[in-house]
Amino acid sequence: MISVGIDISKEKSTVCMLRPYGEIVEAPFDVEHNEQALNALVEHIKSFDEDVKVVLEATGGYHQVVVTKLLESEIFTVVVNPYIMKRYCAASLRKAKTDKIDSIRIANYGIDHWFSMTAYCPPDEIYAELKLLGRQYDQYVRLKINCKIQLANLLDGVMPGIKKILTGTVPASSTKDKLCDFVEKYWHFDNIKKMSESKFVADYQKWAKKKGYRYSESQAIAIYQLSQNNIPTLKSSTPSTKMLVLQAVKSLRDVELTLSLIISQMQEIASTLPEYSVVREMKGVGEVLSVRLIAEIGDIRRFHNGSALVAFAGIDAPPYESGKFVGTKRNISKRGSATLRKIGYEIMHSLKSTKPTEDSAVYDFIVKKELEGKPKRVAKIAGVNKFLRIYYARVMEVYC
């Protein structure tokens, strides 16, 4: 038997081949991530007349090209969780780290776990695409937060206090943003100060009608008085000020448009799945959370029971016993998908806000935990645990 350990890098990989007891078949060597080099590696692996297993660890997207090539060639391939590999390598007293040493350690892992390793099974294309879109959605949400912070900082310099008047005037479901539209029109209090109050009120009314917002005279007067009583720290006479403010608005709009497109694409793809209608019917799960939830969990059939799904989310509390001591106050492991934990927490927050009266098993469970004296956050995490078990049961019924 031969264990092939591959240490993955961005543009190349280091390969080492071992037999039991540390016998070196091939000393560590580098392989470029191109068609010719990977084909040569595949031919070399297939040339052995022994059982061969290829072992590598998941490294973001870098390992995908190698895994795809190996699976196409029908080679037994194992993708190891990086944390498991890190713990395995930590058993050594020497802490030296090079690509060659790492490839040897990965090959040794294959020898030590030869009979317990299972072949890597790639997800279905539809789930893989949903997960890619879901992860990109999370990235753009972070960008949106940064853009909002950047715009808020600039507004403190050109229109201090304007957010208190205009924030919250449009429903969250609306695609419009009154604050951004207003800033795009006026961008500095000096532009309002140049007008009389009656002229600004009339101009504001005309702008609101054009943009489709409900006109409020009291709001217009409040904005005018605010412009008269506040002192902007960024001068309107500076050419850079207008450019920075308008670009901040544009950046925020671009990110929001991208988020809208991603969600639309996810909904179009997820609607073709059998479990989509079941997930949409669950309380606390809306149009956005449903597709994000499906994207992060993926194919439910890869979990053998509800506890496995809970463990995948990292909200399981492993037992802790030693001698006569039995731990009762245990924390969640957090060894799993942080994204799924976040989505689950958002669903619990939605449940607490809507307070459903029908199909409210999860909501009632959260309330029960709070009445027992549990902190609200702890109660919601317990609710996520129960929700995922219900999710597993209901979605599995679709495939049974």
Side-chain angles (χ1 to χ4, degrees), residues 358-369:
E358 298 179 0
D359 190 20
S360 58
V362 178
Y363 173 75
D364 294 341
F365 183 72
I366 296 173
V367 173
K368 175 185 174 184
K369 289 299 177 182

Side-chain angles (χ1 to χ4, degrees), residues 155-209:
L155 290 180
D156 288 340
V158 296
M159 291 182 170
I162 192 64
K163 286 185 63 179
K164 293 181 180 179
I165 298 179
L166 293 179
T167 299
T169 56
V170 180
S173 58
S174 175
T175 57
K176 297 182 179 180
D177 190 325
K178 193 171 186 178
L179 178 62
C180 286
D181 286 338
F182 181 85
V183 172
E184 198 172 35
K185 167 70 174 176
Y186 297 101
W187 70 267
H188 200 286
F189 274 159
D190 287 350
N191 297 324
I192 300 176
K193 288 180 180 179
K194 294 175 182 178
M195 296 183 277
S196 64
E197 181 176 321
S198 59
K199 184 177 180 180
F200 171 73
V201 170
D203 192 64
Y204 180 85
Q205 182 181 12
K206 183 179 178 182
W207 167 83
K209 182 179 180 181

Side-chain angles (χ1 to χ4, degrees), residues 112-149:
D112 293 342
H113 299 82
W114 184 269
F115 298 104
S116 61
M117 293 189 302
T118 56
Y120 174 72
C121 181
D124 291 343
E125 289 185 6
I126 188 168
Y127 289 109
E129 187 176 359
L130 275 175
K131 187 167 186 178
L132 174 62
L133 289 167
R135 292 301 173 89
Q136 289 298 310
Y137 179 87
D138 293 338
Q139 294 292 334
Y140 277 101
V141 166
R142 296 187 184 97
L143 283 177
K144 180 180 177 179
I145 293 171
N146 290 333
C147 288
K148 281 193 169 184
I149 293 173

Side-chain angles (χ1 to χ4, degrees), residues 76-347:
F76 191 104
T77 305
V78 181
V79 179
V80 183
N81 186 297
Y83 183 77
I84 295 175
M85 187 60 67
K86 180 180 179 181
R87 292 294 297 269
Y88 174 79
C89 296
S92 174
L93 292 176
R94 297 185 62 81
K95 299 300 180 182
K97 186 186 186 313
T98 65
D99 290 345
K100 292 183 178 181
I101 292 175
D102 287 345
S103 66
I104 295 172
R105 288 172 175 167
I106 294 172
N108 274 318
Y109 177 91
I111 294 295
D112 293 342
H113 299 82
W114 184 269
F115 298 104
S116 61
M117 293 189 302
T118 56
Y120 174 72
C121 181
D124 291 343
E125 289 185 6
I126 188 168
Y127 289 109
E129 187 176 359
L130 275 175
K131 187 167 186 178
L132 174 62
L133 289 167
R135 292 301 173 89
Q136 289 298 310
Y137 179 87
D138 293 338
Q139 294 292 334
Y140 277 101
V141 166
R142 296 187 184 97
L143 283 177
K144 180 180 177 179
I145 293 171
N146 290 333
C147 288
K148 281 193 169 184
I149 293 173
Q150 181 186 13
L151 179 59
N153 291 337
L154 288 170
L155 290 180
D156 288 340
V158 296
M159 291 182 170
I162 192 64
K163 286 185 63 179
K164 293 181 180 179
I165 298 179
L166 293 179
T167 299
T169 56
V170 180
S173 58
S174 175
T175 57
K176 297 182 179 180
D177 190 325
K178 193 171 186 178
L179 178 62
C180 286
D181 286 338
F182 181 85
V183 172
E184 198 172 35
K185 167 70 174 176
Y186 297 101
W187 70 267
H188 200 286
F189 274 159
D190 287 350
N191 297 324
I192 300 176
K193 288 180 180 179
K194 294 175 182 178
M195 296 183 277
S196 64
E197 181 176 321
S198 59
K199 184 177 180 180
F200 171 73
V201 170
D203 192 64
Y204 180 85
Q205 182 181 12
K206 183 179 178 182
W207 167 83
K209 182 179 180 181
K210 180 180 179 181
K211 291 292 184 179
Y213 295 112
R214 182 175 62 84
Y215 168 68
S216 171
E217 183 178 355
S218 60
Q219 188 178 73
I221 295 173
I223 293 173
Y224 186 81
Q225 292 176 348
L226 185 69
S227 68
Q228 301 298 316
N229 297 326
N230 279 276
I231 304 174
T233 56
L234 296 176
K235 305 294 184 181
S236 61
S237 57
T238 305
S240 301
T241 301
K242 181 178 180 180
M243 181 271 293
L244 289 173
V245 173
L246 295 183
Q247 283 300 315
V249 172
K250 183 178 182 299
S251 297
L252 180 57
R253 289 188 187 279
D254 289 343
V255 172
E256 289 178 339
L257 175 61
T258 304
L259 285 171
S260 177
L261 291 173
I262 291 175
I263 285 298
S264 297
Q265 184 71 8
M266 292 179 71
Q267 289 171 344
E268 182 179 346
I269 296 172
S271 61
T272 63
L273 294 171
E275 67 261 36
Y276 178 72
S277 58
V278 175
V279 177
R280 282 290 287 113
E281 291 173 358
M282 298 180 72
K283 298 297 181 181
V285 182
E287 292 182 356
V288 175
L289 285 175
S290 60
V291 293
R292 292 175 60 201
L293 183 65
I294 294 172
E296 192 58 31
I297 292 176
D299 191 349
I300 197 67
R301 291 167 292 184
R302 63 196 179 107
F303 301 102
H304 58 273
N305 57 28
S307 297
L309 178 57
V310 171
F312 174 73
I315 57 175
D316 57 324
Y320 185 83
E321 299 180 6
S322 180
K324 295 182 179 180
F325 173 78
V326 179
T328 55
K329 296 182 178 180
R330 307 191 305 273
N331 297 322
I332 61 175
S333 66
K334 292 188 178 180
R335 298 279 169 78
S337 172
T339 303
L340 181 55
R341 290 198 298 274
K342 183 176 182 296
I343 294 171
Y345 194 85
E346 290 178 15
I347 293 172

